[in-house]
Amino acid sequence: MSSSSHFHKIGITRANLISRIECFEKMAWEQFFLLAFFTRQQLVGLEYSHHVSHMKERLVIFEWILKMSSGKPDSQIIAKDLSFVSPKYAPILEALQEGASSQNIAILSHGTGNGDLIEYMDVNKIHFPQANKRIPYRIEQIYYVRECPMAIMKALLAFEDLRNNLDNRILSHLDEYFKEVSKFHHLDDKNTQGFQFLQPEAYTSYFNDRMSLVDKVNHAEKYSEVSPHFKTEFSAIIDEAFAKQLAKIIEFAYLPLNFSCSQDRKKKLTSFSINAGSELTIKHNSNDKEGHSDETVDGETKPIVKDTIVAMIDKSYLSNLLLIGQRDEAARYILSTLEENLPPKHQTLDALSSTQAAEQIAYWYKKNKTNLITRIDQIPRLVATLVQFDIQHGLGEHHHYSRIIQSHKVSNLNWFRLTNAVIKYCFVDNYYNKTVFSYAPKEFQLSINGIEIIELLELAEKEIFLNSEKPDFIDSRSENMLAPWGKPLLTNYNEINNDDFKPDFDISLLDKYKKRPLYLKLQKSSWSIDKRHRMIDKIEKQQKLSTVTYPIGTAFPMPLWFV
């Protein structure tokens, strides 16, 4: 009998849990790929006529701002530098975000005492017009997903780990339930219907980790006969626990995007919930004196009536609420936040549970999802598309390859081989720090310009696929969905050093690499992307005014374009 049949006996429908996990898995990956592909389409001009933002030049200015804010103008940006933008440059950052032209940014720089930026733009010949459309993401998010997409993709693989370990997680909650709520011991006394409630010590000694899944579920089923509320209670516990776990996975995966927010936006995205104090600022004025008090605002003294509450709402935040159908939700949130600032006797609204939030978000996704991901098995193809594009264009964690590759003519087949090696090395073996080419002997690395890229690639392939054991610091998670894409494309890699070596390839795997999506493929005739594959169209469609609400003020993140 399958585990799904066993769990059904205690009110748990395993298929529903899998479906819920996959729903959030597709949604989280979709949000990432919308951002990542939009960024790359912008950086290489794939949407030049449809959405002109000159993103490459904007990111050059943003990187300069980061360097100046960190006090290290001549050094490389590191992760911690992304957490702070000096208030001195905040107006310039906001102008970049709003799509201002280089001329307007120069005027603003002059007016805010940032003449050094004007000089930097002149020296580096940075000139660009006003963007012809609203930029749908924060500049900080675009910058980070250009620089470090691999870390986010690795974190999103945790959804698969959750699915693969579903039974163990359910059993863990079953153990906890009985340890904390229903301490029992199995007896043959028919008068007690097979159970007697005992102290925790007696229960623990009997219902323990050595029992099989079947035994534990059978005991729980018998317990449900004497406790009619058990199935309902335990089902609610499982739903809430898994909803919280889904929120944590997305929070962790998107943490770099949160970490890279400028100071004025950092609070908004903290914990991926909507917090009073940034979008909605509540001030409760209470005085012991009768009549009025005074407050100075922008140098002007204004009277304040006793016991008034002043609410200030971020305009762009309110606009985003309307984009995702949150008219009623916005009103509910404002009222809820107001009540938090009133005495306890006035508080009447309850926050959504994680289960309730998950249900609402799942429904929102069902009504507003794009066609980017319709099945889980499509995700590896999108990962491979992104990895190869970044290697070819020196983006992401692969910018160090550019000096190796760009001076060589590389065939499509060898791009596939390099992508294959990266997927094996970074996602299947799960290394974080080394580069693929670090496997090549030092004497070759020191004379890269003097050897063919294929020689370096073959050296890397041989080492990667011959030494595939995971290092000690890697977790023991089960094989992930990218494992089939990390099988050796070159099947006779162990013969590379032989004098008569001729490459032999896995044809079925090679076909997978050839048949990837076209989101980053140019039309040769127009140096643009097919309109069916424009990310900006998919993003704008998802941003349409919706009648389906997306809950706010929960542990779940907002859509990444909710800026």
Side-chain angles (χ1 to χ4, degrees), residues 219-473:
H219 277 75
E221 184 185 22
K222 291 180 180 179
Y223 173 72
S224 68
E225 296 173 4
V226 296
S227 179
H229 301 297
F230 164 69
K231 290 184 179 180
T232 302
E233 290 176 355
F234 188 62
S235 178
I237 289 172
I238 290 297
D239 286 344
E240 185 72 5
F242 274 82
K244 289 180 178 178
Q245 186 62 35
L246 291 171
K248 286 181 180 178
I249 290 173
I250 304 176
E251 177 184 0
F252 179 75
Y254 291 169
L255 186 61
L257 301 175
N258 176 35
F259 186 62
S260 65
C261 291
S262 60
Q263 201 70 4
D264 63 324
R265 294 280 175 166
K266 188 174 182 181
K267 192 171 184 179
K268 174 180 285 190
L269 295 175
T270 299
S271 300
F272 298 92
S273 60
I274 306 305
N275 302 306
S278 57
E279 310 81 12
L280 177 61
T281 302
I282 303 294
K283 182 172 182 179
H284 185 191
N285 303 304
S286 178
N287 287 287
D288 294 329
K289 299 178 180 179
E290 295 183 1
H292 299 72
S293 61
D294 293 331
E295 179 184 42
T296 301
V297 179
D298 296 332
E300 182 180 353
T301 301
K302 298 180 179 180
I304 296 179
V305 179
K306 178 182 178 181
D307 284 337
T308 59
I309 294 179
V310 180
M312 294 180 292
I313 303 175
D314 184 292
K315 184 178 179 180
S316 64
Y317 170 70
L318 183 59
S319 175
N320 275 313
L321 287 179
L322 300 180
L323 281 176
I324 50 180
Q326 290 185 339
R327 293 175 184 271
D328 294 340
E329 191 75 2
R332 184 197 69 81
Y333 177 68
I334 292 171
L335 180 58
S336 176
T337 309
L338 286 169
E339 290 195 339
E340 289 178 4
N341 289 268
L342 295 175
K345 65 181 180 180
H346 294 296
Q347 294 178 354
T348 58
L349 293 180
D350 295 324
L352 289 176
S353 67
S354 294
T355 302
Q356 292 170 322
E359 290 173 351
Q360 290 188 25
I361 293 172
Y363 184 63
W364 176 88
Y365 174 65
K366 179 181 178 181
K367 295 297 184 180
N368 294 279
K369 63 185 176 182
T370 71
N371 61 356
L372 195 59
I373 301 174
T374 58
R375 304 187 314 273
I376 294 296
D377 63 7
Q378 294 172 323
I379 294 172
R381 294 180 183 274
L382 297 173
V383 172
T385 298
L386 183 64
V387 170
Q388 181 175 326
F389 186 86
D390 281 5
I391 295 172
Q392 288 180 276
H393 293 82
L395 299 174
E397 291 88 342
H398 312 290
H399 59 271
H400 47 266
Y401 295 158
S402 59
R403 70 186 182 93
I404 302 173
I405 295 172
Q406 289 176 356
S407 61
H408 297 79
K409 186 176 181 180
V410 182
S411 68
N412 283 336
L413 177 60
N414 288 332
W415 285 126
F416 297 153
R417 290 171 65 182
L418 186 50
T419 305
N420 172 238
V422 169
I423 289 176
K424 165 68 173 174
Y425 183 65
C426 296
F427 290 106
V428 181
D429 290 349
N430 210 12
Y431 282 87
Y432 283 83
N433 299 318
K434 291 184 178 181
T435 70
V436 169
F437 285 135
S438 65
Y439 274 117
K442 288 184 178 179
E443 58 268 24
F444 284 102
Q445 293 187 62
L446 294 175
S447 58
I448 283 170
N449 292 329
I451 76 165
E452 290 296 325
I453 183 64
I454 188 60
E455 293 182 49
L456 265 178
L457 178 54
E458 287 177 351
L459 288 167
E461 283 176 312
K462 181 177 180 180
E463 291 300 320
I464 288 172
F465 291 108
L466 281 178
N467 301 284
S468 59
E469 292 184 4
K470 293 182 179 180
D472 293 338
F473 60 83

Side-chain angles (χ1 to χ4, degrees), residues 28-247:
W29 279 100
E30 177 191 80
Q31 286 297 311
F32 166 75
F33 282 122
L34 285 173
L35 170 59
F37 287 158
F38 168 80
T39 296
R40 281 147 183 80
Q41 288 178 350
Q42 290 291 301
L43 290 176
V44 297
L46 294 183
E47 292 185 339
Y48 192 81
S49 63
H50 187 67
H51 187 290
V52 183
S53 67
H54 293 273
M55 187 57 65
K56 186 175 181 179
E57 290 81 2
R58 292 182 190 278
L59 292 183
V60 170
I61 294 177
F62 176 65
E63 188 170 67
W64 179 88
I65 290 174
L66 289 177
K67 289 181 177 182
M68 298 301 291
S69 296
S70 68
K72 298 177 289 187
D74 299 321
S75 62
Q76 185 176 352
I77 293 295
I78 58 177
K80 68 178 182 179
D81 295 328
L82 300 177
S83 64
F84 176 71
V85 170
S86 170
K88 177 181 179 181
Y89 303 110
I92 299 171
L93 177 57
E94 201 59 34
L96 286 172
Q97 181 68 50
E98 295 300 321
S101 67
S102 58
Q103 181 179 4
N104 287 339
I105 288 174
I107 294 172
L108 179 63
S109 299
H110 178 76
T112 55
N114 289 306
D116 44 356
L117 175 57
I118 299 174
E119 180 181 353
Y120 178 79
M121 293 169 63
D122 287 341
V123 170
N124 292 277
K125 297 180 172 56
I126 300 174
H127 306 289
F128 51 87
Q130 175 84 20
N132 69 345
K133 277 198 173 186
R134 174 181 176 270
I135 299 172
Y137 297 100
R138 293 295 301 175
I139 294 293
E140 302 95 320
Q141 293 174 313
I142 292 172
Y143 180 82
Y144 192 93
V145 85
R146 183 192 74 173
E147 296 294 308
C148 306
M150 301 279 280
I152 301 172
M153 290 190 286
K154 288 178 181 180
L156 288 173
L157 290 173
F159 282 108
E160 189 171 19
D161 189 44
L162 183 62
R163 281 189 282 114
N164 292 338
N165 290 283
L166 187 65
D167 293 353
N168 290 335
R169 291 177 182 273
I170 294 174
L171 287 179
S172 175
H173 289 293
L174 187 63
D175 290 349
E176 190 65 27
Y177 178 88
F178 284 116
K179 287 178 182 178
E180 299 298 325
V181 181
S182 306
K183 323 300 183 184
F184 68 95
H185 185 77
H186 182 248
L187 298 173
D188 292 326
D189 186 351
K190 295 182 179 179
N191 294 328
T192 61
Q193 299 185 48
F195 289 92
Q196 177 179 339
F197 292 95
L198 299 174
Q199 295 301 314
E201 298 79 16
Y203 161 76
T204 303
S205 64
Y206 183 79
F207 197 91
N208 55 60
D209 292 338
R210 293 187 295 275
M211 293 175 66
S212 68
L213 179 153
V214 175
D215 287 341
K216 288 184 177 183
V217 173
N218 284 342
H219 277 75
E221 184 185 22
K222 291 180 180 179
Y223 173 72
S224 68
E225 296 173 4
V226 296
S227 179
H229 301 297
F230 164 69
K231 290 184 179 180
T232 302
E233 290 176 355
F234 188 62
S235 178
I237 289 172
I238 290 297
D239 286 344
E240 185 72 5
F242 274 82
K244 289 180 178 178
Q245 186 62 35
L246 291 171

